[in-house]
Amino acid sequence: MVVEDEPADRLFHALADATRRDILRRSVDGELSVSRLAELYPMSFAAVQKHVAVLERAGLVSKTRQGREQLVRTRPDAVRRARQALDHLESLWHGRVDRMADLLAEPEGPRTREAPERKGTDR
Amino acid sequence: MVVEDEPADRLFHALADATRRDILRRSVDGELSVSRLAELYPMSFAAVQKHVAVLERAGLVSKTRQGREQLVRTRPDAVRRARQALDHLESLWHGRVDRMADLLAEPEGPRTREAPERKGTDR
DNA sequence: CTAACATACAACCAAATGGTTGTAGAAGAT
DNA sequence: ATCTTCTACAACCATTTGGTTGTATGTTAG
């Protein structure tokens, strides 16, 4: 990947795994520790730990120490952020997006070198 | 990954790349061919072709032949599907989800072996 | 103190990803 | 017919990902 540190990349990547989405759902109440979560899936503790780490780097969950356990809690705002990225995409059809707001919304577009030498028949 | 053929996996994975999200935005009107898109990014035609293929397998775009060109068009419904997956997640905080509707919404949860021998001190 | 539990993290591995180049086939333009 | 354009796809390569095991460290229970 060219850029890949973009927050949106991490966000959607974190969501692109069934186990991680399941962790998100189960951690809404913030009651479960990493070990408790790990008991729920057919993989090692370390694997689940990594999944939680991916979710954490994406800002989708936070961990809080509670004694020797680390409680995982899904962060509502992050999910909302992801949804808004999609909202923005969807809004393009409804045509209500002026180009200015569009550019401000997500300053992405990896080095979009704005259509160089179009020497050809131009359409 | 344990399962990975799940549509949601492909959906979010397809969205987890800045180039692909940009393609989605630019293809809302379905005017651009793969070659025209390829001119916009600092990578080979084949690379862009692969990105479009990923988007297509995720159901996010469709291609229609127009002469020798293949026009790419973003599919509104797919984006809406992704958004709804997030909506569902978000709704968990608002507490308005009974467990039944929850299970119907996404029959995922990869082999969730429902908390096996909890022999320990049980909290 | 010692034992058991929860976490953190390194090292390793197979498979997937994102990129490349090269070859080949279809469709238009000349 | 020939040339050019657009697309499709295979082969290859470096890096990342998702999993493993092993080791170390901190925290609670006896």
Side-chain angles (χ1 to χ4, degrees):
Chain A
M1 250 165 258
V2 188
V3 271
E4 173 57 80
D5 83 315
E6 311 276 352
D9 287 33
R10 299 194 198 178
L11 239 176
F12 286 115
H13 168 70
L15 290 168
D17 182 282
T19 303
R20 288 196 288 263
R21 288 194 301 277
D22 198 64
I23 291 176
L24 279 183
R25 283 185 224 102
R26 295 190 189 262
S27 304
V28 166
D29 299 325
E31 304 166 329
L32 297 177
S33 65
V34 183
S35 321
R36 292 288 169 264
L37 282 170
E39 290 171 354
L40 300 173
Y41 308 101
M43 65 189 72
S44 70
F45 167 80
V48 173
Q49 199 174 294
K50 278 192 186 181
H51 280 305
V52 172
V54 169
L55 290 168
E56 197 178 15
R57 276 187 302 131
L60 279 163
V61 305
S62 59
K63 292 187 295 184
T64 47
R65 252 230 135 70
Q66 188 86 22
R68 61 182 158 183
E69 296 186 337
Q70 195 87 271
L71 300 188
V72 179
R73 160 167 280 126
T74 308
R75 300 182 52 180
D77 52 307
V79 179
R80 212 173 304 126
R81 264 197 300 123
R83 236 208 32 197
Q84 283 172 349
L86 295 179
D87 284 348
H88 173 248
L89 241 180
E90 223 184 340
S91 74
L92 292 179
W93 288 284
H94 305 325
R96 313 212 177 276
V97 182
D98 55 339
R99 211 51 193 159
M100 283 307 286
D102 210 41
L103 293 176
L104 293 180
E106 194 177 11
E108 273 197 62
R111 228 63 62 228
T112 164
R113 53 178 165 83
E114 212 45 59
E117 346 83 23
R118 293 265 312 268
K119 51 177 185 273
T121 47
D122 197 73
R123 275 208 101 11
Chain B
M1 249 166 257
V2 189
V3 271
E4 175 56 85
D5 84 315
E6 310 276 350
D9 287 34
R10 299 195 199 178
L11 239 176
F12 286 116
H13 168 71
L15 290 168
D17 181 283
T19 302
R20 287 196 289 261
R21 289 194 301 276
D22 198 65
I23 291 176
L24 279 184
R25 284 187 222 99
R26 296 192 189 260
S27 304
V28 166
D29 298 325
E31 303 166 330
L32 297 177
S33 64
V34 182
S35 320
R36 291 289 169 264
L37 282 169
E39 290 172 354
L40 300 173
Y41 308 102
M43 65 188 72
S44 70
F45 168 79
V48 173
Q49 199 174 295
K50 278 193 186 180
H51 279 306
V52 173
V54 169
L55 290 168
E56 198 178 15
R57 276 187 301 130
L60 279 163
V61 304
S62 59
K63 292 187 296 187
T64 48
R65 243 220 145 78
Q66 188 85 23
R68 60 181 160 185
E69 297 187 334
Q70 195 87 271
L71 300 187
V72 180
R73 160 167 280 126
T74 307
R75 300 182 53 180
D77 51 307
V79 179
R80 212 173 304 126
R81 265 196 299 124
R83 236 208 32 197
Q84 284 173 349
L86 295 180
D87 283 348
H88 174 247
L89 242 179
E90 223 184 341
S91 73
L92 292 179
W93 289 285
H94 305 324
R96 314 211 177 276
V97 182
D98 55 337
R99 212 52 194 158
M100 282 307 286
D102 209 40
L103 293 176
L104 293 180
E106 194 177 10
E108 273 196 62
R111 226 64 61 230
T112 166
R113 54 179 165 82
E114 211 47 58
E117 345 82 15
R118 294 262 313 267
K119 50 176 183 279
T121 48
D122 198 71
R123 264 213 139 314

